[in-house]
Structures are given as structure tokens and as C-alpha cells.
Amino acid sequence: MTGKGERLLIAALGGVNEVGKNMYMLQHGDDILVIDCGSKFPDESLLGIDLIIPDIAYLLNNRDKVRALIVTHGHEDHIGGIPYLLKQLPMPVYASRLTLGLIEIKLKEHGLLRETSLNRIDSDSQLELGSVKVSFFNTNHSIPDCLGVVFDTPEGTVVHTGDFKFDMTPVNKQYPDIHKMAEIGRRGVRILLSESTNAERPGFTPSERIVGAHLEEAFVKAKRRVFVSTFASNVSRLQQVVDAAARTGRRLALLGRSMVNVVEVARELGYLDIPEGMLADPAEAANLPPEQVAVLCTGSQGEPMAALSRLASSNHRLIEIQAGDTVIIAANPIPGNERNVSRIVDNLYILGAEVVYGSRSELHVSGHGSQEELKLMLTLMKPDYFIPIHGEYRMLHHHRQLAEAVGVESDRIFLLGNGDVVESSGGVVRQAGRIPAGQILVDGLGIGDIGNIVLRDRRQLSADGILITVITISKEDGKILSDPDTISRGFVYVRDSEGLIREVNRLVTDTARRMLEENASQWNVMKQTLKDALGQFLYEKTKRRPMILPIIIEV
Amino acid sequence: MTGKGERLLIAALGGVNEVGKNMYMLQHGDDILVIDCGSKFPDESLLGIDLIIPDIAYLLNNRDKVRALIVTHGHEDHIGGIPYLLKQLPMPVYASRLTLGLIEIKLKEHGLLRETSLNRIDSDSQLELGSVKVSFFNTNHSIPDCLGVVFDTPEGTVVHTGDFKFDMTPVNKQYPDIHKMAEIGRRGVRILLSESTNAERPGFTPSERIVGAHLEEAFVKAKRRVFVSTFASNVSRLQQVVDAAARTGRRLALLGRSMVNVVEVARELGYLDIPEGMLADPAEAANLPPEQVAVLCTGSQGEPMAALSRLASSNHRLIEIQAGDTVIIAANPIPGNERNVSRIVDNLYILGAEVVYGSRSELHVSGHGSQEELKLMLTLMKPDYFIPIHGEYRMLHHHRQLAEAVGVESDRIFLLGNGDVVESSGGVVRQAGRIPAGQILVDGLGIGDIGNIVLRDRRQLSADGILITVITISKEDGKILSDPDTISRGFVYVRDSEGLIREVNRLVTDTARRMLEENASQWNVMKQTLKDALGQFLYEKTKRRPMILPIIIEV
């Protein structure tokens, strides 16, 4: 095997200290393998940003060494960044069948489909990528076709679990391959990277199968139409909705672009079994007898633009909620989304719907393993070294405690930030150094480091608005040519607003005149002085700090 | 009794279809009684707003009829609006001892203390306010001194529960007065207003007492200092913290203005028993041996400016978290606050603290009754008519279902919005008409209808920023005097930003010139044309819609 005596480097470019934008890197000598490339949705402090993806500077600086992108499964936080990655750095992609199908949809949208090398793998595949041999094992999760990855390197075996639970009664018969995992562990795992999403949760995550019985019960009880909102990517959940609809003699309409896409891909590739003639157009469904209708829709996280939210606001073009309809929200709100979901529930009740929601409804189970499953994985793999991944700090912290509890030595567990590197050289494993890592913000058509200045500006604008004052000054004699023109947006006046503006204008004129007389007429100095004077004045008067923008025009 | 044959009107001015800013109104003939006047915190869509209070237009229009403000208890969502109310419409205030103490703190801050008529009441008080007799009964909640209110009117008895649970083992020995409630119900309740906060939750809310044992356990296990973050107003919780600290030989420091205020008032009025010498300055506590220190702090909802958040970011002036300290978050995040709390937990772990948090920790119980307790109140009161209050729509909806289940007739249950009026006249009770109601936004020093325009502006500014272009035109001959001056804030450029600005300036000049030549020189028309042209141009180039502000200066 080539590359003997080379260093092995492992790092996260995204996915640690956060949930989202997963991207991991394994480098042996001159061979770099990338695992996943996901995206993340911004929280409310990142105003106007659409998407966040990992910073790939390290890969760009080492572009000749990058051999392949290996994708563990088709969720957005593992594939959402792929088009942006491949646009800058083409590389062959290895993924399972459904995962590949979902990646293809994205590449098509970005016009990259034709030029990308897509390679289908499954749990029996074996690859040789440079000095690293790669093999796989089946896991299960809230989407079919998930794989864990095994890297055989001269420095030992590294295992990356992908996302997983241990659902021993999977709806789609894709069992977690416990025997293969045990064999991998028996042969020896030097370093394990395992996902930490539910590391705070005691116990065992229930099987997807329990949802099916509750779904059917809800369908039977429903007097009129049934709307089910759930994650489009959870194909097993979709199958159970299809089954419940079939058993209650209902046709099924789909609302929401991602729902339509996933159903199409999943059905085509044989992951979703929908009886012939069952699917109906939303427009068609709107005219059927209500007890013969079921609708699968997006928006279970309360996303304002998605189908469920529009149905709740009677805003959907194709179909509307009527009194007596049943709406099932088969998902738990991800932290941050609770208020949006609550608002939708309120609106649905106002429309007279029956609403089934909340964790007590038993219409949703997590796709991630809880503490007992994480310990099971650790026990099967028996790693020498452990790197918890895919989680915010407290989740990584709890996962570390689980690893210590099953017997991994404390000083052999690494809690990394994005960019931190774990190195193995001559059998010695330690945390050593950093590579560049961070976030790239995608905004409209712009990709780039939008940077703190713009975000800070937006933040100030959003809190206190802006006040703009324009003064014109004669080029010839440096005299002020007119009264200042002062305009504000998003800035609240205290009662007497005209009076306030008059005072502002007076202050501007006096300040500017004084500076011109003192010949202190460097424009940037004058602008700064105006900003300071106005800022102080406005704060005293209103207790607000709008952005102040003095504009000086020379004519 | 005067006023026989007059109409009885009941309305909510705040508190229905929402959680917060509770304010209810009972009017018989020419006597108006106000129940509570709370405030509400804005959600993230109300940019830059500090506080929301109920719109009191109806009361101002009927100021001669307003007799009194009756306050059920001292939580912000029941007293937060009082200073703003009294500033515009002074009236005598009736409240229990602790409630009065908390109201006084607010009135002092607003300079209203001296001119307000404050009247202390308790569960034995009986008032005659115009044609209405008012009496009270003890309830319990997550603050001491809570009262329910009974209004005896010629149209029958109206009961307002205030906020309540049925904690039968209250830490502070303030029992819910079930016997008095039964007697009130036996004598006949015409209309019941009952709070709906936990109407979605099956079962019975556990007693506050269970927290004490778990707190003590956590204190005993703690090797170094213990920080407890909880709602300052939950005096029983504070008492249990004091007790746990005393039992583990710790002195107690207080962090956060509301914590210091509440402890002072509660202690002074005898609601909180702290052993002599136990309280310590934070600065003093910072120098004591760690196992002898406990700290009570604000910020359990993750509020960025409060003590807990600053401790987590190592940003507190007086004291810092050290590795091995224990931090207990004895509260569950109110929906909307989860992400802030999670971030704090992450940061505390990074600092090396032990963190006790989450619903599984059993260090928090709700102050509001669950379904069995709501049914108990309905059963005790046996009302003819029922108005669920204090909740978002789905909570009112579930409360209605509970009332139907215990036997209130469906057509005798009113789900109101703020401003909807229930009227009783000659014994006939029905929903009839509306009074003005809404929200007043408090922003800095400004109180007023900030209005949709300013908020919409801030929203646009926050998403896409602003682009300002200034052109100067000669008064004499209407010619453009200089190149446009174009500035942006919060607007992201795609790569070639100077190029974009050049194109913008060219477009502005061409458009303006063309309009001047066509003598279409009405400034507002020109501004609109410029806005449209620039808006379209920028969207094509960047897919963003910044606010566009053309400014025309005549010189």
C-alpha cells in the first residue's frame, strides 16, 4: 500500500458545535476524502441570509489531493452544500441510490448534472481511493439508504457512522447491519466518529413502526379530509401515510415542491409503493368527497412559505382547509420553530379543523438514536479513540460522557470545533493544529463572506431604522447651499415629529457651518462629527440609536 | 342596589388569542371595573419594539365611568402595563400585599407613586364599586398572594379566576381555598372567566414542593459553587433555593435587578424567610470558598442581557463561572426562547460547569393548572356561561372542550378575541358587538401606534438593506448638476460592487435626464420612476429587494 508512514488527518469542516452543514474530511498523505457536504438554515440573527454552507478553503488550497466526495445519506444537512462545492471544486461523488437521486435533483437545479461524476454505491461496495480503502455498512435513520463508512488506512481503521438509530422493526425492511458492525469492531477500530444529536436523551428511540398504527387510527377517526404534514425525506413515514390512506379508501394529493420531488424519486427508485391510480392532483382532490381525500404536505416546521402555513392562512392556490377536516402534524418542532408551528395550529383551529400535534400524539419519532443506541454503537465498534460529531456542544459533551461510561479512556476522546485536526502518525493519535474552517453565507445570488459589517448594519437598521441627512455645499466658496434634507425610515418619532426634524436640521446646519468656518472641511471628518452630534441628540430625545447617514454633496 | 335593568358588559382588552398583556373589563351600567393591566414582550417580527401593552381607547372614551383597577397577582403579564395606564387614566388600584409591593416598584420608576391611590386587599375583602360588589378568594400559582375575583351584579355573579393551579401542598402554606370556591359555585355563577394556559396538557400539574427535594439533591452533589437561575417572581422557588443553600452551609448572592428587587420586597413583607447573615454581596461571594457559595440569578429564559447569559459568556462584571461549578436552570423555556437557552447551556459546558437543565431534571413545575385542574375549577364554579381567557387560540379551544366535557352547554361558551363583548341584559347572555382593542407598542421613550409602515420598513431594511441615491438638480434650468451619489447599507454586492454602483448611477442619470427632458419633473413622480427602475434592475442583478430611497435636492 502506498503512503506508508504518512500522517492521517481527520477534521470537521462543519457539523461540530452545531447541528447542520455537516462536512468531514479524512486525509492520508496526499489523498483527501470528503464525507458529506450539507447546508444549514440561518437563525434570526443572520438577517436576509438564505443558506449557510461550510467554508472549503482548505480543500481549494489542496485541490490536487481531493479524491472524492462520499455521501452518507440524502438529508439537507448532508447534501445541501454539494452544488456550491462542486461548482468550485469538481470531484467524483459516491452515494447510495436514493441519496444519488436526491443529489441529482439539486445538481439539475444548478446546471451541474452533466459534468458531475456520480457513482452509485451500497453496503457491499469497496473502493480504493488513493491510499485508503473504503467500505460501508447499513444503518437506519429517518430516510432510506443510509450508510456508515469504514476507512482502512495504514494508520488504522476509521469509522464514520453517518446519522443513525437502531430501529429493529424498520418499516422499509432496511435493518441496521449489527453483524457487520460487530465484525468491523472485532477487527479493530482505531478512531470512531459518531453522531450526537440525541445524546441528551436517555433511553432508546422508538421504532418508526409505532407511528403507523397511530396514523391509521387518526385516519379512521377523521370524518372529512385528512392533511398530513411531515418531513418529505422520511420516506418510511410517507409509506405509512400512503398505507393509512389506502386502508381508509382515500386518494392522495401532494402539496409542496420537495414533497412532489421526493415522492417522484422515491417511487421511481422503488422506495415508495403507491397503488396505481391513488395519487390525485390537488385540484382534482379538492372536488372529491372529503372522506375520500388525503393530502401530504410540506411545512411541518412552520416554514412560512411552505404548504402547511399557507393552508392555515387560507392562502394556498389549489386547496383549502374546511371545517371538520383533520390536520396531522407528524413532526416535532426543531428548537427555534415552535412559535411558527403554534401559530399554524391556532389558525387551523380557527378554520374549524381537528388538529393532531405535539409530542403526546405519538405521530412522530426521532430518526436519531438516544443514549442507549449511542452506547450500543460505541460497544459494537469498541474504538481506541472517539470523536463525537453532528451536534451542538452540549450534545458532544453528553456523548463524551457516554463513551467514558462504556470504557473509552477520557484522554482518548476529542471534542473538536470545526477546523480542529486530529492527527495520527506512526500510531500516535493526538489533536494537533487547525485548518481553515468557517461559514459561507449564501444570499440571493451572492455567495461570499457577507461579513460582519453588512449583518451589523442590518441589525441596527432592523432595531432602530435609519436617518439620512443631505447637505449641499458649493464647490466654489464652500458655503452651505440649502437647508438640509432629512429623511428617516424605520425610525419612530416621539409625538412631535416635525419639531424633531426641525431641530435635527438646525443641528446639522450649525455643526456643518461651524466646521466649514473652521476650515475643518475634510468630508469624512465632517460626516463623523455630524454623526456624533446627531447620535447624541437623538438618543437624548428618543432613547433610540438609528443608523445616521450624513451625505455631503458638492455642487 | 342602583343600576337595576342596566346592561352588563364583559370584554378582554388583552390576554385572549395571546399569552400576555392581560386586561379584562367588566361594565355594569355606568361603572367600569378593570381587571389587571399586563404587558407582553414582542416576538422577533416586531423589530426594535421594547414592550407591548393593551390599547385603552375604550377606557379613555369612557373615563368618567372607570371606577377601579383590580389586580389578581404580580406577574408582568398582569401588572406590566399599569404605569402606562395610570399615566393616561388615574384610578384607584386594589391588590394584595405582595402584588402591591411589586406594583409600587414600577410606579416609583415612572414617577407615579405619590399620586396613585393604592389599596391593599386580601381574600376577606369586600368592596362596593358603583353597582358592583366585589369579593375575593385565594388561589395558588407561581407567585404568592394570588386572588380570584367575584363580581356580584344585578345580572348575576361573574367570577374571574386570575391565574391558578391547585397545589395542595404549597411550599408557602397558601392553600387554594376550595371550600370558598365551592360556596361561590353553590350560590350560583352566571359567567366564569378562567385561565387557559395549560389547557392542552393532560393530567395534573405537580406541586411546587417536588422541586425542593430535587434542588437539595443537586446542592448536595455540587462540589463547588451552585448557581440557580429561575423566575424571580416565583417566591416559593426562591424559598426552596434558600432552604437548600442553608442546608448545605452556603451563603447566597443575588444577581439581576429583578431578583434583587423581588427578594427585597418579598423579604420585607414576610414572604421570604432568609436567615440573618446568609445574603452576601456578589463581590464578597466571589472570594468565599466555592463550596460555601450559592447564587440566585435572573435569565432563565436565555435573555441576552440578563445575568445567566452574561455568566455563560464570561461577561458578568461581578462574578464568573469556574470549572466544576454547578448551574441549575430551574425553568422550562417558554416557546420562542429555546435556542437562547441552548446556547447558554453550550457555553456553560464549555466553561466546564455541570449543568442541570431540561424538563427531565424535575427542577421546575408549571404555575398553571393542567386539564384536571381546569375541570376542577369548572366543576366547583358550575357556571351557566363560560369564557376561557389567558391563552392562545388553541388553548382557548381546548379549554372549551374541557368545559363541554364537564357539562357546560356548547352554545353558552364564548371564544372571544380582544375587544369582543359578551353582554347580559335582562338575564339574556350573548356575544354582542365590539369595543376598540389592540396593541400599543412601546419603543424607547415613544408610546404610540408605531404602525405597520415603520415595522414594514424595518423588516425590509433587516432583510435586504437600503440603497440611497442622491441627485442634485439646478433650480434655474432644471439640469442635473452632478453624478448621482449612491450609498448602500446592509446590501450585499455580488462580486463586482463598484461595477454595480456604476451601472446604478448610469441608470439613475439616464432615467432622471429623460424625465426632466419630458418635463415630467414632479419630484414624487420622478422618485417613483427611479424606485421602480432601480428596483427591477437590482432584482435582476442580485435577486434582492433593498429599500430604495431616491433623494432629489434642488440647488
Side-chain angles (χ1 to χ4, degrees), chain A residues 297-356:
Chain A
C297 60
T298 54
S300 59
Q301 289 297 312
E303 307 96 297
M305 290 290 102
L308 183 65
S309 176
R310 285 157 69 187
L311 287 168
S313 327
S314 298
N315 238 345
H316 201 285
R317 263 191 317 118
L318 303 170
I319 200 169
E320 55 172 23
I321 304 275
Q322 294 163 352
D325 284 345
T326 300
V327 182
I328 298 172
I329 303 180
N332 282 335
I334 287 163
N337 294 338
E338 293 84 353
R339 291 215 56 78
N340 283 348
V341 176
S342 295
R343 235 170 266 145
I344 284 171
V345 173
D346 285 343
N347 287 334
L348 291 171
Y349 273 130
I350 290 173
L351 291 173
E354 298 288 326
V355 191
V356 186

Side-chain angles (χ1 to χ4, degrees), chain B residues 272-292:
Chain B
L272 192 55
D273 179 25
I274 306 181
E276 205 60 50
M278 185 182 193
L279 285 183
D281 248 20
E284 198 183 342
N287 292 322
L288 289 169
E291 65 281 0
Q292 293 178 22

